[in-house]
């Protein structure tokens, strides 16, 4: 039995078999066994790929229908494409391995697709790369990715959010990230899915761990490998107690969120998919404060259409039945990369081409999303929120695009709420400092404390080496939040907090005292937050204690 300590991402206990996540190794240029021999290897791997794609096509056709299955058919056509084959053959003349020739051919064709005008053809770029990767997997005799088909604890160095979403979340009982950080998007997703998880452990991720038994102790932030029977019994008991405690909190369902001295506030939920709305309702959320819409894009292999997006947004507003639903527009870039967007590699991605900046340069994508949002507004209480704002000109651009979306829908005779509320995230120091001006032009603010902390402190939120210096309690951050709150209220608009700080027990009294109108947190925290708030007397809270 070995115990490793780490940092907590999400509390709770997990007891299950370990599955190690296999990261694909990069293909490097190396000498092969001659063009003919390497071409034979390529042909064999391509045959195996096509066979696997046929199987996936048939399975998807039965489970998901023609539309979803079509992707596998497209991949098959790309694998058999003659231009692709010619490119591989030409590369092999340089005496390289088939792995390298296929990867280089995939990259070259992907670059051609991504330069095309037509968005459909541009999106094929990611498909070509994926097909090339599949062929390389067969060449390297790698099994196809990591499979989870029974309750398991996933152990990895780090994991992109899009990879986590490929697993059946009900079977992922816990996650151990040996690297990573609790502020990354995959960590946030883990909390939203309520999966006990740790990061920053001194453990070597090795396939030999597969099938060993593991325990995650989310309270002490420990991971135990090969526990003895006494330890298993102890943790089974702790898990039962933890779950019973959660049951106890259910007495707060249906209650108003009130401080001890009778001040009312609202607790909303953060969700990443329209299906999570059930979880928000189960935990008695008073609204949705942040629907991270980029996860619709992350789950998709191509730009989601207006109709597809509309269905997701409509599902959430209808389920919330009149309660407010704040949907954030596309926030990709930085640690959220999507292949078919073909985002360039950047020196400083967190300071790079992301969110509203991409929407400004690719207004077609933004307009499609706005039209889907306006259409869904006819079915409930929807509000739009835009991330990463730093300037008035961006706000002006948003309003212009909203007008365009409304005109387009009106000309198509479709219903929408013409007075839809449009708000912005305060997650850059620029937005907080300019909040007096911005408050006059938008309907609400929501503070994104994750990014506001990263940009105020100039500390990368996902850098594990800086995790101990990433202090979101820093007075500079709290002063910026207070300033934004005062400016919002002066202009008569509400302000919420949708970053992770919104559930921080130490800061709750401060947020309530300065008058934050709404806290938006992962569904699992709603009831415990309501309970904590019921014990706070704002008359006893001194703001100076937090910021001076
Ligand atoms: C934030 O930055 O606080 C936020 C809520 O947005 P995200 O974590 O998705 O960047
Ligand atoms: Mg953010």
């Amino acid at each position: 039995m070995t115990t490793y300590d780490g940092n907590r991402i999400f509390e709770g206990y997990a007891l299950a078999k370990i599955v190690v996540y296999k990261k694909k190794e990069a293909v490097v240029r190396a000498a092969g066994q001659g063009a003919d021999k390497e071409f034979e290897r390529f042909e064999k791997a391509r045959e195996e790929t096509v066979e696997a794609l046929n199987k996936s096509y048939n399975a998807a056709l039965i489970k998901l229908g023609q539309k979803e299955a079509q992707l596998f058919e497209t991949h098959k056509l790309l694998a058999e494409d003659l231009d692709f084959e010619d490119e591989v053959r030409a590369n092999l003349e340089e005496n390289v391995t088939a792995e390298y020739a296929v990867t280089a051919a995939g990259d070259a064709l992907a670059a051609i697709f991504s330069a095309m005008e037509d968005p459909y053809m541009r999106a094929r770029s990611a498909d070509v790369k994926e097909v090339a990767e599949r062929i390389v997997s067969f060449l390297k005799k790698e099994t196809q990715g990591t499979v989870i088909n029974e309750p398991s604890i996933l152990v990895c160095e780090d994991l992109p959010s899009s990879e986590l979403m490929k697993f059946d979340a009900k079977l992922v009982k816990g996650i151990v990230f040996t690297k990573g950080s609790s502020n990354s998007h995959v960590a946030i997703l883990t909390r939203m899915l309520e999966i006990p998880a740790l990061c920053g452990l001194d453990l070597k991720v090795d396939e030999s761990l597969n099938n060993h038994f593991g325990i995650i102790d989310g309270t002490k932030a420990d991971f135990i490998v090969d526990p003895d029977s006494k330890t298993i019994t102890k943790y089974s008991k702790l898990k039962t107690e933890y779950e019973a405690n959660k049951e106890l909190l259910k007495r707060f369902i249906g209650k108003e969120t009130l401080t001890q001295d009778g001040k009312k506030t609202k607790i909303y939920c953060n969700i990443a998919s329209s299906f999570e709305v059930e979880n928000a309702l189960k935990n008695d959320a008073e609204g949705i404060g942040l629907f991270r819409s980029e996860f619709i894009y992350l789950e998709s292999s191509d730009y989601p259409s207006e109709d597809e997006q509309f269905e997701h947004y409509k599902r959430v507003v209808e389920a919330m039945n009149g309660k407010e639903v704040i949907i954030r527009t596309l926030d990709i870039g930085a640690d959220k990369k999507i292949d078919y967007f073909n985002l360039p590699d950047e020196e400083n991605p967190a300071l790079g081409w992301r969110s509203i900046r991409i929407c400004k340069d690719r207004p077609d994508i933004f307009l499609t999303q706005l039209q889907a949002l306006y259409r869904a507004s006819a079915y409930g209480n929807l509000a739009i929120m835009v991330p990463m704002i730093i300037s008035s000109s961006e706000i002006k651009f948003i309003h212009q695009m909203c007008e365009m979306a409304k005109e387009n829908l009106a000309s198509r005779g479709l219903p929408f709420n013409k007075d839809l509320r449009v708000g912005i995230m305060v997650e850059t120091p620029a937005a907080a400092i300019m909040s007096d001006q911005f408050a006059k032009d938008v309907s609400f603010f929501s503070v994104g404390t994750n990014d506001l902390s990263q940009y105020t402190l100039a500390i990368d939120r996902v850098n594990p080496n800086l995790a101990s210096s990433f202090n979101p309690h820093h007075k500079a951050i709290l002063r910026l939040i207070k300033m934004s709150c005062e400016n919002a209220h002066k202009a008569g608009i509400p302000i919420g907090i949708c970053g992770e700080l919104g559930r921080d027990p130490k800061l709750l009294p401060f947020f309530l005292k300065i008058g934050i109108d709404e806290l938006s947190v992962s569904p699992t925290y709603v009831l415990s937050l309501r309970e904590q708030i019921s014990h706070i007397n704002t008359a006893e809270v001194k703001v100076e204690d937090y910021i001076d």
Side-chain angles (χ1 to χ4, degrees):
M1 174 165 110
T2 321
T3 303
Y4 302 88
D5 61 333
N7 301 313
R8 178 170 63 211
I9 289 180
F10 185 65
E11 64 206 25
Y13 298 92
L15 294 88
K17 192 192 87 172
I18 295 172
V19 170
V20 175
Y21 174 74
K22 264 183 281 159
K23 208 165 121 193
K24 290 191 190 98
E25 277 170 29
V27 175
V28 289
R29 188 182 179 112
Q33 309 166 45
D36 289 343
K37 190 102 203 308
E38 292 294 330
F39 191 75
E40 263 174 42
R41 290 184 63 226
F42 158 68
E43 279 189 309
K44 182 162 182 292
R46 180 172 60 179
E47 254 170 49
E48 287 169 325
T49 304
V50 169
E51 207 177 299
L53 286 166
N54 274 334
K55 278 193 195 143
S56 304
Y57 175 83
N58 292 332
L61 195 63
I62 297 164
K63 259 172 78 181
L64 307 165
Q66 175 69 40
K67 190 165 174 277
E68 303 278 341
Q70 187 54 40
L71 179 76
F72 298 108
E73 186 63 22
T74 308
H75 281 196
K76 199 177 105 179
L77 292 176
L78 288 169
E80 291 173 331
D81 183 72
L82 289 180
D83 288 339
F84 178 61
E85 184 182 306
D86 287 349
E87 191 75 28
V88 172
R89 202 186 279 276
N91 290 340
L92 286 175
E93 292 306 319
E94 293 178 27
N95 191 30
V96 291
T97 56
E99 284 87 339
Y100 184 80
V102 169
T103 306
D107 288 349
L109 285 185
I112 296 174
F113 277 118
S114 69
M116 290 183 181
E117 278 286 305
D118 179 356
Y120 175 82
M121 295 309 285
R122 264 205 317 268
R124 300 284 70 79
S125 164
D127 292 325
V128 176
K129 279 196 183 171
E130 205 173 316
V131 169
E133 272 178 25
R134 273 191 98 124
I135 298 176
V136 170
S137 296
F138 278 108
L139 279 164
K140 287 182 171 177
K141 307 253 178 296
E142 283 174 352
T143 48
Q144 284 299 306
T146 307
V147 180
I148 293 190
N149 47 24
E150 60 183 311
S152 309
I153 291 178
L154 186 64
V155 174
C156 56
E157 285 189 351
D158 205 354
L159 189 71
S161 323
S162 50
E163 285 289 293
L164 176 55
M165 290 169 87
K166 287 182 189 155
F167 299 117
D168 179 349
K170 284 196 201 74
L171 295 179
V172 183
K173 295 295 169 197
I175 310 182
V176 172
F177 300 90
T178 56
K179 294 190 176 153
S181 123
S182 66
N183 303 302
S184 69
H185 282 98
V186 70
I188 290 170
L189 183 63
T190 305
R191 279 194 283 276
M192 287 200 276
L193 295 170
E194 304 190 11
I195 302 174
L198 310 175
C199 65
L201 292 91
D202 189 13
L203 162 74
K204 190 169 173 329
V205 177
D206 193 306
E207 283 186 38
S208 62
L209 281 171
N210 270 324
N211 295 319
H212 283 248
F213 197 75
I215 295 179
I216 291 180
D217 175 345
T219 308
K220 290 215 283 210
D222 279 348
F223 178 47
I224 305 163
V225 179
D226 295 331
D228 55 29
S229 60
K230 227 171 99 196
T231 311
I232 295 179
T233 312
K234 175 183 138 190
Y235 275 102
S236 305
K237 213 167 139 233
L238 280 171
K239 186 168 183 284
T240 311
E241 278 168 20
Y242 172 80
E243 276 154 14
N245 253 334
K246 279 193 109 171
E247 274 301 305
L248 255 181
L249 281 173
K250 289 196 175 152
R251 69 188 190 280
F252 282 91
I253 289 181
K255 298 258 165 63
E256 273 196 312
T257 307
L258 289 174
T259 60
Q260 204 185 67
D261 51 327
K263 275 198 176 176
K264 175 150 178 46
T265 183
K266 288 183 286 188
I267 306 180
Y268 284 12
C269 270
N270 295 347
I271 58 171
S273 97
S274 56
F275 300 100
E276 265 182 74
V277 72
E278 307 304 333
N279 212 2
L281 284 168
K282 201 177 80 195
N283 286 286
D284 200 27
E286 292 163 79
I288 299 294
L290 169 64
F291 177 177
R292 288 181 163 95
S293 72
E294 58 275 10
F295 282 92
I296 298 176
Y297 293 73
L298 276 160
E299 272 178 353
S300 184
S301 55
D302 199 348
Y303 294 97
S305 67
E306 181 187 306
D307 282 349
E308 274 171 66
Q309 292 189 57
F310 163 67
E311 290 301 333
H312 284 284
Y313 306 148
K314 179 166 162 266
R315 185 182 301 138
V316 178
V317 286
E318 283 189 335
M320 291 306 286
N321 197 16
K323 289 180 179 169
E324 185 173 33
V325 174
I326 300 176
I327 302 183
R328 172 172 81 181
T329 56
L330 184 63
D331 184 20
I332 57 157
D335 66 331
K336 282 177 286 192
K337 287 267 161 77
I338 302 179
D339 279 353
Y340 57 85
F341 271 79
N342 285 308
L343 301 175
D345 286 334
E346 295 176 303
E347 292 252 332
N348 295 303
L351 303 179
W353 202 43
R354 58 174 295 197
S355 313
I356 183 69
R357 301 167 190 178
I358 295 178
C359 294
K360 271 181 87 176
D361 295 341
R362 304 277 303 273
D364 50 324
I365 298 174
F366 194 39
L367 190 63
T368 303
Q369 179 168 39
L370 290 176
Q371 286 173 185
L373 288 166
Y374 270 96
R375 277 174 63 188
S377 72
Y379 297 84
N381 184 0
L382 188 150
I384 294 176
M385 174 160 82
V386 187
M388 282 299 289
I389 296 299
I390 57 165
S391 71
S392 294
S393 65
E394 286 165 345
I395 296 174
K396 206 166 145 202
F397 166 74
I398 296 161
H399 288 310
Q400 281 167 349
M401 293 298 289
C402 287
E403 284 310 310
M404 206 185 285
K406 287 196 264 185
E407 277 167 28
N408 289 350
L409 295 184
S411 68
R412 286 157 60 192
L414 292 168
F416 58 88
N417 173 7
K418 68 177 181 9
D419 299 318
L420 195 62
R421 289 161 11 95
V422 178
I424 57 166
M425 287 189 73
V426 175
E427 56 179 347
T428 61
I433 292 164
M434 296 301 291
S435 54
D436 56 334
Q437 306 252 311
F438 294 176
K440 294 178 190 146
D441 296 325
V442 297
S443 303
F444 62 91
F445 284 162
S446 184
V447 186
T449 53
N450 311 332
D451 277 319
L452 186 62
S453 306
Q454 138 162 288
Y455 297 124
T456 306
L457 304 176
I459 293 182
D460 184 351
R461 63 192 259 191
V462 297
N463 185 334
N465 300 329
L466 296 171
S468 59
S469 311
F470 189 86
N471 170 22
H473 290 196
H474 196 293
K475 288 171 185 164
I477 300 165
L478 302 185
R479 284 179 185 212
L480 288 176
I481 296 175
K482 180 170 173 280
M483 184 200 286
S484 308
C485 184
E486 284 164 359
N487 287 330
H489 289 161
K490 251 186 239 158
I493 63 166
I495 180 167
I497 292 186
C498 62
E500 297 296 300
L501 223 51
R503 62 176 170 83
D504 191 316
K506 290 207 180 95
L507 293 180
L508 264 183
F510 171 72
F511 293 147
L512 295 170
K513 181 75 177 184
I514 62 174
I516 293 291
D517 300 287
E518 157 249 308
L519 298 163
S520 192
V521 295
S522 295
T524 190
Y525 297 115
V526 173
L527 297 175
S528 70
L529 218 52
R530 192 169 287 155
E531 193 237 12
Q532 290 170 59
I533 289 173
S534 73
H535 300 299
I536 294 173
N537 183 349
T538 56
E540 289 169 2
V541 181
K542 289 196 186 74
V543 170
E544 313 79 73
D545 291 348
Y546 295 85
I547 58 168
D548 283 342

